Amino acid sequence: DFGAVSSIWALSLLLVPLVSFNLAPVAIRAVVKARQAEEDDLAAGFILFTRRMVYYTAPVTVLLFIALVWLNYPTVFDAAFGATVLMGFAVVIMALVQTGAAIGVALDKAAASQVPRELLRPAILVVALAALTWAGQPIGLGLALLLFALTAPANLIVQHLLLRKATAFVHAQPPRYDDRRSWITTGLFLLPTRVVNENAKMVMIFAASLTLTLEQVALLSVAISISGLLNFAITAVEVAVSSKGRPSFWRFRG
C-alpha cells in the first residue's frame, strides 16, 4: 500500500506544473516587473491568466491522471477508485496553490505564501495519522490517498486568506494580457529544468514504479526520504560555516 501511495503521490506532483503551463516560476519576473513599472493592470492580468489556464486544463488533467493510474496501477485503481478521482481534482487545486505561492513571493509576501504550502500539509497529515493511530483505525490505500487529497483544498483556503489583502488590486482595474504569449513560452521553456531540479525525488519514484514492484518502490521512497533529511543537515552545516556565518562560528569555538 505504501508503495502504491508513494507512486500515485509522485505522479500527482509531477502533473502539477503541467496544469498551469509552469507559470509559477514566471510569476517572479512578470509580476515584479509590472509592479515596478506601475502597471498594476498587467500584473493583475498575469494573476488572472494563471488561474484561467488552470481552470481550462482542469478537465483534461483529471482525466489524464485517472487514465495514468488505471494504466500503470490497475489493482490500485480498482481498490481505491473514489480516492483516485479525488486525487485528480487535488492535482488541479495544488496547481492553484503552487502558482499562488509564487505570486505571493512576487508580491513580497513570501511567508504568507509559503506557510500553507510547506507547513500546512505535513501538519494536517501528522495530526490525522496520529488521531487515526490513537483510535486504532487501520490506514489503508484509499484512506491515505484521501488524506493527501484533502490537504490541497485546505492549503488553498489558508493561502487565499493570507494573501487576500495583497491581491486586492487584481480586481481594482481592468486586467491586461499583452504578454500572455511570452508568459506561456517562458513557462514551457523552464518546465524540464524545474521538473528535474525541484521534483527529482518524484521523478525517481514514478520511474521506479513503472518497472519495480510496489514493495520495492516503498523501500526506495523511504530511502530517498531519509537521504533528504541527511541532505538538509549537511546544507544547514554548510550555511553555518559559510563565509557569511564563519566569524560567529569561530567565535563560538573560541
Side-chain angles (χ1 to χ4, degrees), residues 55-175:
Y55 298 148
Y56 287 164
T57 58
V60 177
T61 301
V62 174
L63 292 176
L64 176 63
F65 177 81
I66 293 174
L68 288 174
V69 173
W70 175 64
L71 289 172
N72 294 318
Y73 323 107
T75 56
V76 175
F77 183 81
D78 294 336
F81 173 76
T84 301
V85 173
L86 289 177
M87 279 293 297
F89 286 100
V91 172
V92 177
I93 298 175
M94 285 188 289
L96 292 172
V97 172
Q98 189 177 83
T99 55
I103 290 168
V105 173
L107 295 174
D108 199 23
K109 299 293 180 182
S113 65
Q114 295 299 325
V115 164
R117 183 184 174 193
E118 301 294 341
L119 298 180
L120 189 60
R121 180 192 297 163
I124 292 175
L125 290 176
V126 167
V127 171
L129 293 174
L132 291 171
T133 302
W134 179 80
Q137 173 68 35
I139 304 170
L141 173 63
L143 184 55
L145 293 176
L146 179 62
L147 288 176
F148 191 84
L150 292 178
T151 61
N155 282 357
L156 185 62
I157 292 171
V158 173
Q159 184 185 81
H160 172 73
L161 294 175
L162 293 176
L163 296 178
R164 182 170 52 184
K165 185 179 295 185
T167 57
F169 75 94
V170 172
H171 302 286
Q173 66 276 309

Side-chain angles (χ1 to χ4, degrees), residues 171-240:
H171 302 286
Q173 66 276 309
R176 284 170 49 205
Y177 305 100
D178 300 353
D179 297 338
R180 58 181 178 272
R181 181 174 297 180
S182 174
W183 296 335
I184 293 180
T185 303
T186 305
L188 294 178
F189 179 77
L190 296 174
L191 181 60
T193 304
R194 186 177 186 195
V195 169
V196 172
N197 290 342
E198 296 189 12
N199 294 312
K201 173 182 175 181
M202 300 306 162
V203 171
M204 286 189 287
I205 292 175
F206 178 68
S209 69
L210 300 178
T211 57
L212 302 180
T213 65
L214 292 179
E215 290 83 359
Q216 292 171 324
V217 173
L219 181 60
L220 176 66
S221 301
V222 174
I224 294 176
S225 299
I226 293 175
S227 66
L229 291 174
L230 296 176
N231 184 64
F232 172 78
I234 294 171
T235 303
V237 172
E238 288 178 347
V239 172

